Amino acid sequence: DIAYYNNENGAIEENPGNLIATPTGYESQSDEQTVYIRVTDPTSPRECFNIVPVELRVDPLPDIINPERISVCDDETGGSTTNEQATFDLTSKIEEITQGDQTILINFYEDEALENQITDTENFVNTQANPQVVYVEAVDLDTDCTKTTTLTIEVIPEPTIPELDPLVECDPGNNGFAEFDLGTEIENIISNEVDVEISFHETEQEAFFG
């Protein structure tokens, strides 16, 4: 026969007050605790027994935080800048999640069951509805305890700019120069877009890099 006790004397004396009635669902009383297993030979005339101590230790889960979402502009991934697909560097969030703790390993998954692990974490292309939830597993390298959280990745569509007609002004000085009111095109440029800002630049490079 096998019985479990939270006290050594209780195990020796078979004290019911120290008996662990449900050993398959026992909740420890501290982060470090010893319980005692009493093994009795029922076939022995004197019911001989032995006491075996078992140490219970509770390790903390990895100390991580829920990361802010990653938002990037739609790019040429997938051959189009309008398909709401882009490339994400998931590793850029590791330090934020672990708060710089080098003893925590971070794995990324596409599914909540943590079965479809993302292998190329520096060049991950979103594969589901935009925005997409990526599942994060944190593993404590010292204890193997794990904790999960989520990371939302979002592709922001590029503003749609229509083809514009050339602006034409007369040349008052007959020197190839004229004054243009570029602001008259803002309404045509914005079209149906909302929450956008318009700026004008003399070169394409300046327009791209501000």
Side-chain angles (χ1 to χ4, degrees):
D1 293 337
I2 298 176
Y4 300 81
Y5 294 85
N6 57 23
N7 178 281
E8 185 175 15
N9 288 334
I12 295 173
E13 300 172 1
E14 294 186 279
N15 187 338
N18 300 118
L19 178 67
I20 299 174
T22 55
T24 58
Y26 177 70
E27 183 173 338
S28 61
Q29 305 303 302
S30 64
D31 58 352
E32 290 189 6
Q33 179 186 353
T34 302
V35 298
Y36 299 86
I37 304 174
R38 177 187 173 110
V39 182
T40 305
D41 182 359
T43 65
S44 169
R46 300 182 58 85
E47 293 190 344
C48 296
F49 66 90
N50 195 7
I51 305 295
V52 180
V54 176
E55 181 182 356
L56 306 181
R57 187 180 68 188
V58 180
D59 290 321
L61 297 178
D63 183 16
I64 60 174
I65 63 173
N66 299 327
E68 297 292 331
R69 71 170 55 198
I70 304 178
S71 298
V72 300
C73 296
D74 204 335
D75 57 25
E76 293 287 350
T77 300
S80 170
T81 58
T82 60
N83 59 3
E84 296 190 18
Q85 276 193 319
T87 302
F88 294 83
D89 181 5
L90 303 180
T91 64
S92 65
K93 284 292 180 177
I94 291 179
E95 185 170 357
E96 177 185 350
I97 295 170
T98 64
Q99 304 171 84
D101 189 340
Q102 300 297 315
T103 66
I104 299 177
L105 172 68
I106 296 296
N107 298 315
F108 297 95
Y109 296 82
E110 293 190 53
D111 61 314
E112 189 173 5
L114 307 183
E115 295 177 348
N116 188 10
Q117 185 172 357
I118 299 170
T119 54
D120 191 357
T121 53
E122 293 183 357
N123 301 282
F124 176 68
V125 177
N126 57 310
T127 56
Q128 302 174 17
N130 180 37
Q132 177 177 345
V133 175
V134 172
Y135 297 89
V136 182
E137 176 191 45
V139 182
D140 189 313
L141 296 177
D142 294 328
T143 65
D144 288 333
C145 291
T146 64
K147 188 176 182 179
T148 59
T149 185
T150 58
L151 168 64
T152 299
I153 57 176
E154 175 186 30
V155 179
I156 302 175
E158 288 189 346
T160 301
I161 302 176
E163 291 290 334
L164 301 176
D165 295 328
L167 296 180
V168 179
E169 293 286 350
C170 295
D171 185 354
N174 199 30
N175 58 3
F177 296 93
E179 183 175 312
F180 292 85
D181 182 2
L182 303 180
T184 59
E185 286 297 304
I186 289 179
E187 185 174 345
N188 294 329
I189 295 171
I190 292 178
S191 186
N192 295 322
E193 295 286 345
V194 294
D195 297 328
V196 296
E197 296 181 356
I198 302 294
S199 61
F200 297 93
H201 303 265
E202 293 186 345
T203 68
E204 185 176 29
Q205 183 177 11
E206 287 182 0
F208 272 113
F209 301 104

